[in-house]
């Protein structure tokens, strides 16, 4: 495996990502969409998820394809970001055809960033507008770190953020990951600077530190956030032709990558979940081997994307936590 040319989830041909954020709000939204609808699935392992239309993505349900996936800050208010994306897609003539009507399929998930120091005293929910703005900005290149759904994210010790990574397989298949990291757990070993994801790093993408030193296996972490205040939400994607059940298996395997990069993960206080997206552009040449490697590659990409989210986050006045860069780089 090697990184794709952008080292972003948009190395999966046809995918686009857009983000919008509000600095005063200290929050934002991120949208993944494509030129045509794509197979979508979801797997939830956190104890406090916040979601929209995820039941629709079960393999036994009628609709197998989505028009977009939304990751947003804002807790329950952030679920409205998907409404803005629905509005925008409808204006484009996109959506599931029901007679003459088009109904865009836009599942979403949220993280909790309501206590990060931003101005949350709004009169009208701002997330619908953020969702539509993110859709309108969707393209192949997008910012990491303090952007979109990760703009106001926090972790156990450093600012969270938006991360992405990709890899190309020898088979010709491409895999990518997109993640908003707002975890109860830590992404660094001890006090850093090494990332738990260090052994999976490619081409110095998050600092090029040696693999993480051994950490005390008897260490007992304390929850620094309360139930509902955390959550890491992600998308893993591929250009492989997968069924919805196969996409679900890829999302399930990708949770290994989250657990490798965040310690601890999947706690009762996190709403950790992973969407999967498959564009279907490439047939599986060796189905058993390819499905096996897709799960592994999705986990590797997600680990790397988590570390990149933290590595790229920036410092702003009034931050409640330092950014990784402010602590370990001379010019954050």
């Amino acid at each position: 495996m090697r990184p794709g040319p952008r080292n972003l989830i948009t190395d999966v041909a046809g995918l686009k990502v857009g983000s919008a954020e509000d600095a005063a709000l200290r929050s934002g939204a991120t949208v993944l969409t494509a030129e045509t609808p794509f197979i979508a699935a979801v797997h939830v392992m956190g104890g406090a998820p916040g979601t929209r239309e995820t039941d629709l993505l079960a393999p036994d349900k009628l609709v197998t394809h989505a028009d977009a996936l939304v990751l947003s800050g804002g807790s329950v208010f952030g679920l409205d970001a998907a409404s803005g994306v629905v509005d925008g897609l409808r204006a484009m003539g996109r959506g599931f055809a029901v007679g003459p009507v088009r109904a865009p399929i836009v599942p979403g998930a949220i993280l909790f960033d309501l206590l990060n120091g931003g101005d949350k005293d709004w009169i009208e929910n701002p997330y619908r507008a953020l969702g539509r703005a993110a859709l309108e900005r969707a393209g192949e290149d997008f910012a990491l770190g303090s952007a979109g759904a990760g703009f106001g994210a926090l972790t156990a010790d450093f600012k969270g953020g938006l991360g992405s990574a990709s890899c190309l397989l020898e088979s010709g298949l491409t895999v990518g990951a997109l993640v908003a990291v707002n975890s109860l757990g830590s992404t660094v070993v001890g006090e850093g600077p090494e990332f738990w994801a260090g052994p999976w790093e490619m081409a110095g993408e998050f600092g090029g530190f040696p693999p993480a030193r051994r950490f005390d296996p008897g260490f007992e972490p304390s929850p620094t956030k309360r139930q509902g205040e955390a959550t890491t939400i992600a998308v893993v994607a591929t250009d492989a032709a997968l069924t919805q059940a196969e996409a679900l298996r890829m999302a399930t395997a990708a949770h290994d990558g989250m657990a490798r990069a965040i310690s601890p993960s999947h706690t009762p206080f996190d709403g950790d979940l992973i969407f999967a997206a498959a564009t279907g552009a490439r047939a599986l040449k060796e189905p058993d081997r390819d499905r096996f490697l897709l799960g592994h590659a999705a986990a590797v990409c997600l680990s790397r994307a988590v570390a990149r989210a933290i590595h790229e986050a920036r410092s702003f006045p009034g931050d409640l936590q330092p950014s990784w860069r402010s602590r370990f780089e001379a010019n954050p």
Side-chain angles (χ1 to χ4, degrees):
M1 291 187 295
R2 68 184 191 279
R6 298 181 185 85
N7 199 18
L8 299 172
I9 196 171
T10 48
D11 285 325
V12 176
L15 293 186
K16 297 180 180 180
V17 172
S19 287
E21 55 278 326
D22 182 321
L25 185 67
R26 286 186 184 263
S27 189
T30 297
V31 178
L32 179 138
T33 188
E35 297 168 357
T36 58
F38 50 87
I39 287 282
V42 66
H43 191 265
V44 182
M45 285 192 68
T51 60
R52 167 174 165 150
E53 289 199 316
T54 50
D55 283 354
L56 190 64
L57 301 184
D60 64 332
K61 299 302 186 290
L62 174 65
V63 176
T64 59
H65 290 66
D67 295 290
L69 298 170
V70 177
L71 308 179
S72 180
S75 188
V76 63
F77 305 101
L79 292 173
D80 208 31
S83 297
V85 177
V86 168
D87 290 345
L89 289 170
R90 180 178 180 273
M92 299 175 191
R94 295 280 303 273
F96 184 75
V98 185
V101 177
R102 291 280 177 172
I105 306 300
V106 185
I110 49 85
L111 54 81
F112 185 100
D113 58 4
L114 299 180
L115 301 178
N116 63 2
D119 180 7
K120 306 303 193 295
D121 189 24
W122 61 73
I123 296 175
E124 182 177 345
N125 188 327
Y127 287 95
R128 189 177 192 125
L130 285 169
R132 183 152 188 174
L135 176 67
E136 292 171 351
R137 297 172 187 173
E140 294 178 337
D141 294 304
F142 58 95
L144 301 184
S146 300
F151 188 85
L154 305 172
T155 72
D157 30 37
F158 294 108
K159 290 186 67 174
L162 188 73
S164 190
S166 69
C167 59
L168 308 180
L169 307 184
E170 289 186 0
S171 64
L173 296 173
T174 302
V175 175
L178 174 71
V179 63
V181 185
N182 186 63
S183 58
L184 182 150
S186 175
T187 61
V188 298
V189 183
E191 296 180 355
E194 301 97 331
F195 290 96
W196 284 116
W200 311 100
E201 185 176 16
M202 296 183 182
E205 61 196 339
F206 43 85
F209 292 96
R213 62 192 183 279
R214 181 175 173 80
F215 188 57
D216 178 8
F219 174 73
E220 297 185 7
S222 298
T224 56
K225 298 181 179 181
R226 295 168 296 181
Q227 186 171 5
E229 290 185 7
T231 293
T232 295
I233 46 181
V235 182
V236 292
T238 181
D239 54 1
L242 300 180
T243 66
Q244 197 170 38
E246 289 167 340
L248 173 58
R249 175 47 48 186
M250 183 175 72
T252 303
H255 276 286
D256 290 351
M258 191 181 295
R260 293 169 190 160
I262 303 170
S263 179
S265 291
H266 308 136
T267 77
F269 308 110
D270 291 278
D272 298 343
L273 68 77
I274 300 175
F275 290 108
T279 66
R282 288 180 175 269
L284 302 182
K285 297 178 181 178
E286 299 180 69
D288 288 344
R289 175 178 172 80
D290 287 342
R291 286 191 292 263
F292 166 80
L293 286 175
L294 285 172
H296 172 66
V300 170
C301 279
L302 185 52
S303 289
R304 295 163 48 218
V306 167
R308 294 192 79 198
I310 310 307
H311 182 261
E312 297 299 323
R314 293 166 289 144
S315 296
F316 299 109
D319 282 348
L320 301 184
Q321 288 182 316
S323 65
W324 183 93
R325 287 176 176 263
S326 70
R327 183 71 59 83
F328 299 114
E329 289 192 355
N331 298 302

